Amino acid sequence: MNPAAGTALAVLLSLVSAAGYALAAVAQSRLAAASPAAPDGRGALRALLARGQWWWAVGLNAAGALAHVAALHYGPLTLVQPLGALTLVAALPLGAYCARRRVTRTEWRGALWTLAGLVGLVAVTGPAAPGEALSLRESLVVAAATALLIAALASGRLQGSGGRAGRGLGHATASGIASGVASALTQTLTAALALDLPGAEPTWWQTALLAVLISGFATGGLLLSQAAYRGGLAAPLAVVNLSNPAAAAVIGVALLGETFRAGAWGWLAAAGASLIAARGVVLLTKGGGGTGEAGAAAGTGAGAVVGTSAGAGAVAESGGLPAARIAGLAAPEAEPVGVPLPG
């Protein structure tokens, strides 16, 4: 395949990946809004696994991941990663359409600020030179430290008095970190299977342990994003998309000897991009769609749609405090108003 055709295919696959992730985020947010309880207890988890909508969301996430991996096969990381940021732009109108409302001007501004910051981060966080995979010892240390950080974020200890919106962003941050660490451990597992892992050759049980850790972080990231969407879609999705590459960058710089592109200027650019993205997230949390959704839900008796979901992973409708409060109400048994999801 010639380079032009490969680049075109990489762009197409990247767009498919972004669409898959966006549809999955909207499906998760609608499911979270329709659930009478947060999916953090045993009973709630069983109820979640019994819903066909949940498995559709899982399938869409898997399809997005496969398309992303395929895009990386045909195109460079510097092209594929920024296109992945379109997930936020696609999820915003999709979520609003399902809620039968318009995307507010504040939400569009927030999405554009976040998108600009995310693209800037991706542009400078790639390593100046390829780094080696983590050793087995480093992988275990990273896994343990990440588990403690995720536990603190999920428990709300690091959010202070931010209320439901703060807990949603905490879950979203934990989800992105879990996914980023799962990617780093996948690189280590690949090197282990190829017998190219730094240090001594791993035994079969060490390789199996890596696989279990990867599965745990990947599953945890998905469940944390589901919890995050109970407080809204747009802001949590933006935070998930930001914290994922940030976690990978921290691991690369701290343990693999990587550095930002352009040296010291790269660090400054990363800091500026982070501030831009943070402004976008703030705008998304103040998006203005919650009031309209609340009124629609009150008029139809289907409060499940209102306010979207909240945390790990996801970005779509509004993130305002009114919507977050409404999302905490017990939802009726009926499906939310809007475009019904399969299952």
Side-chain angles (χ1 to χ4, degrees):
M1 182 178 293
N2 60 68
T7 300
L9 184 56
V11 171
L12 178 61
L13 289 170
S14 297
L15 295 178
V16 170
S17 175
Y21 282 132
L23 288 170
V26 173
Q28 285 185 271
S29 71
R30 286 168 56 80
L31 180 58
S35 301
D40 55 3
R42 295 181 180 178
L45 179 58
R46 286 196 298 268
L48 184 67
L49 296 179
R51 297 292 297 272
Q53 290 180 354
W54 164 254
W55 293 109
W56 271 99
V58 172
L60 288 168
N61 270 308
L66 290 175
H68 179 76
V69 172
L72 288 173
H73 178 73
Y74 292 103
L77 183 67
T78 52
L79 171 67
V80 174
Q81 287 290 70
L83 289 175
L86 294 176
T87 298
L88 175 61
V89 178
L92 191 62
L94 281 173
Y97 174 76
C98 290
R100 295 186 176 181
R101 67 171 180 85
R102 293 184 178 181
V103 181
T104 66
R105 183 177 299 179
T106 300
E107 288 176 311
W108 277 124
R109 288 173 55 205
L112 292 177
W113 276 86
T114 304
L115 183 63
L118 181 57
V119 171
L121 278 174
V122 171
V124 299
T125 51
E132 297 180 350
L134 296 172
S135 67
L136 182 62
R137 181 188 298 273
E138 290 172 336
S139 297
L140 295 178
V141 171
V142 167
T146 303
L148 293 175
L149 178 59
I150 289 175
L153 288 168
S155 66
R157 296 174 182 175
L158 301 184
Q159 283 81 61
S161 57
R164 182 178 293 273
R167 290 193 299 272
L169 294 183
H171 284 124
T173 303
S175 174
I177 292 174
S179 299
V181 171
S183 298
L185 295 181
T186 299
Q187 182 184 20
T188 299
L189 178 61
T190 302
L193 294 175
L195 303 180
D196 194 26
L197 193 66
E201 181 179 331
T203 62
W204 68 268
W205 67 266
Q206 292 173 329
T207 303
L209 177 60
L210 282 174
V212 170
L213 290 173
I214 292 168
S215 299
F217 281 115
T219 303
L222 189 60
L223 293 175
L224 285 165
S225 64
Q226 181 67 56
Y229 293 137
R230 290 188 63 82
L233 174 60
L237 182 56
V239 172
V240 169
N241 285 336
L242 288 168
S243 55
N244 189 321
V250 169
I251 292 174
V253 172
L255 298 176
L256 300 179
E258 298 174 354
T259 185
F260 290 115
R261 293 190 179 98
W265 289 107
W267 287 88
L268 292 176
S274 299
L275 292 176
I276 291 173
R279 173 172 172 77
V281 172
V282 171
L283 289 173
L284 288 172
T285 61
K286 298 178 180 179
T291 304
E293 292 172 20
T300 60
V305 176
V306 187
T308 65
S309 23
V315 156
E317 304 166 1
S318 74
L321 291 179
R325 295 192 186 101
I326 295 169
L329 298 178
E333 292 298 327
E335 290 293 326
V337 175
V339 178
L341 294 173

